[in-house]
Amino acid sequence: MLPVLGCALAALLVGVLPYWLDLFTLLSLTIYLVMALLALSLAFIWGFGGILCFGQAAFFGLGAYAYAVGVLNIGDSTWPVLLAIAVPALFAAAMGYFMFYGGISDVYLGVITLAVTLILFNVMNSTSGSEYHIGSALLGGFNGIPAIPTLNVPFDPERVLEPETLFQVIGGALILCYLGLRGLLASRFGKVVVAIRENEQRAGLLGYDTRLHKLIVFSLGGGIAGLAGCLYANWGAFVSPGVFGLAQSAQIIIWVIVGGRGTLFGPILACIGLQALMARLGEQQTVDSGLVLGAILLTFVMLLPRGLLPSLGTLAGRVFKRRSASTSAVPQEGAV
């Protein structure tokens, strides 16, 4: 009940904030929500599927490029949005099939996903010539693809969404994905996925196809990351090979570690908070923002390995138990 009320409050804020905030603040908050959607995708794959993917930026970048190429060729953003979800999801399914059905261990899986991300980064950097194009869309190499048309009303390219409406669409997408994943995790499929995370061998002995479940989780996470990449391309009307960068992959993992594995809301909260902090630190020259981010990561790994939200939940539970114990220990009036 509490998550539903929280989502209702979030939906209310998404609906009214564009009319309260100035344009710069609104655009900043918009990119925070886009990255929160990306953090949500890894929170699902790693936190519940137990799949440590270092290449979530690969799906993010594929979604951004798929949308850019699609909308530049079609003109209407309706089908390119679906393309931006389908391409990374299918790419994740192809990768996952060879990794999970090939018996690749978790450590090598992380190395493979990271290697694929770096390969995509180098490949896209090498497409700067005029011969590198898909239809009418020039890939641009390290210069990227500029002037990407933003979202329009479905099947009506003449009605382009304003920044206020785009913020509401992105916020709505984040809320819907969060609710959808919570519903999925509450289902029989989700319970099996968590059981596989806890003990894959035992789940397999009980008759569940662990490889298929992990493949579905990996593909869903890739599709959500692709949607985030699509929305990122809309936010800046630009995409470059930097979306496949190593720093991008590392940031996503940090968001999940800080927010807490095994939760969906924790990484969202950590992503928004850390992005706001990095933006504030970027306004000054005294303290290096990368150093601060590294210190935060070390603090959580060493002192709060479960992450922010689970640690707060444990602390709140202990306080509640102590208060309950102290209340029950107080003699009631008239008691002997």
Side-chain angles (χ1 to χ4, degrees):
M1 187 64 181
L2 186 60
V4 175
L5 293 177
C7 287
L9 177 60
L12 179 63
L13 290 175
V14 167
V16 301
L17 278 179
Y19 305 104
W20 292 350
L21 303 176
D22 60 88
L23 184 58
F24 176 79
T25 305
L26 182 67
L27 291 176
S28 298
L29 190 55
T30 300
I31 190 59
Y32 296 167
L33 296 183
V34 170
M35 294 304 177
L37 185 60
L38 178 58
L40 178 65
S41 69
L42 185 61
F44 176 61
I45 290 178
W46 186 23
F48 292 92
I51 305 168
L52 177 53
C53 176
F54 283 98
Q56 206 66 7
F59 310 132
F60 179 73
L62 284 173
Y65 269 95
Y67 172 80
V69 170
V71 75
L72 286 172
N73 280 283
I74 299 174
D76 179 8
S77 68
T78 308
W79 295 113
V81 170
L82 301 178
L83 186 67
I85 299 173
V87 168
L90 293 174
F91 186 78
M95 280 185 61
Y97 177 81
F98 288 105
M99 291 189 299
F100 302 135
Y101 284 85
I104 302 297
S105 64
D106 292 341
V107 174
Y108 291 107
L109 189 148
V111 172
I112 290 172
T113 54
L114 179 60
V116 168
T117 304
L118 295 177
I119 289 171
L120 289 173
F121 174 75
N122 287 310
V123 167
M124 297 311 299
N125 260 325
S126 304
T127 57
S128 56
S130 58
E131 66 274 16
Y132 295 104
H133 64 91
I134 301 177
S136 59
L138 289 172
L139 297 180
F142 55 84
N143 291 317
I145 303 176
I148 300 172
T150 54
L151 288 175
N152 54 256
V153 175
F155 304 107
D156 190 357
E158 300 300 323
R159 299 176 60 187
V160 178
L161 300 186
E162 297 294 330
E164 294 81 6
T165 309
L166 183 61
F167 171 82
Q168 294 171 337
V169 168
I170 292 173
L174 176 60
I175 294 171
L176 289 176
C177 286
Y178 172 80
L179 289 174
L181 291 179
R182 280 194 64 92
L184 182 64
L185 291 170
S187 67
R188 182 175 180 273
F189 174 84
K191 293 175 182 178
V192 173
V193 167
V194 174
I196 293 172
R197 179 197 66 185
E198 295 299 321
N199 194 320
E200 184 174 352
Q201 184 178 11
R202 179 183 299 173
L205 291 174
L206 290 173
Y208 295 107
D209 190 342
T210 60
R211 296 172 299 179
L212 178 60
H213 282 78
K214 292 172 73 172
L215 179 62
I216 294 174
V217 169
F218 196 61
S219 301
L220 284 174
I224 295 173
L227 175 60
C230 165
L231 298 175
Y232 173 81
N234 275 275
W235 173 78
F238 173 77
V239 62
S240 72
V243 293
F244 297 108
L246 183 60
Q248 180 78 347
S249 298
Q251 275 192 340
I252 307 168
I253 294 175
I254 291 173
W255 294 334
V256 177
I257 291 175
V258 173
R261 284 184 59 200
T263 71
L264 293 177
F265 182 68
I268 292 175
L269 185 64
C271 173
I272 295 174
L274 288 176
Q275 283 187 100
L277 176 62
M278 292 299 104
R280 181 60 61 90
L281 291 174
E283 297 174 357
Q284 49 81 46
Q285 302 295 327
T286 305
V287 181
D288 182 73
S289 59
L291 182 62
V292 173
L293 188 62
I296 291 174
L297 175 62
L298 287 176
T299 300
F300 274 87
V301 169
M302 298 177 66
L303 302 179
L304 296 172
R306 296 181 59 199
L308 179 63
L309 206 60
S311 299
L312 289 177
T314 301
L315 179 61
R318 290 178 180 176
V319 172
F320 179 76
K321 287 182 179 179
R322 288 180 181 177
R323 288 186 177 181
S324 299
S326 61
T327 302
S328 61
V330 175
Q332 299 296 324
E333 186 176 353
V336 178

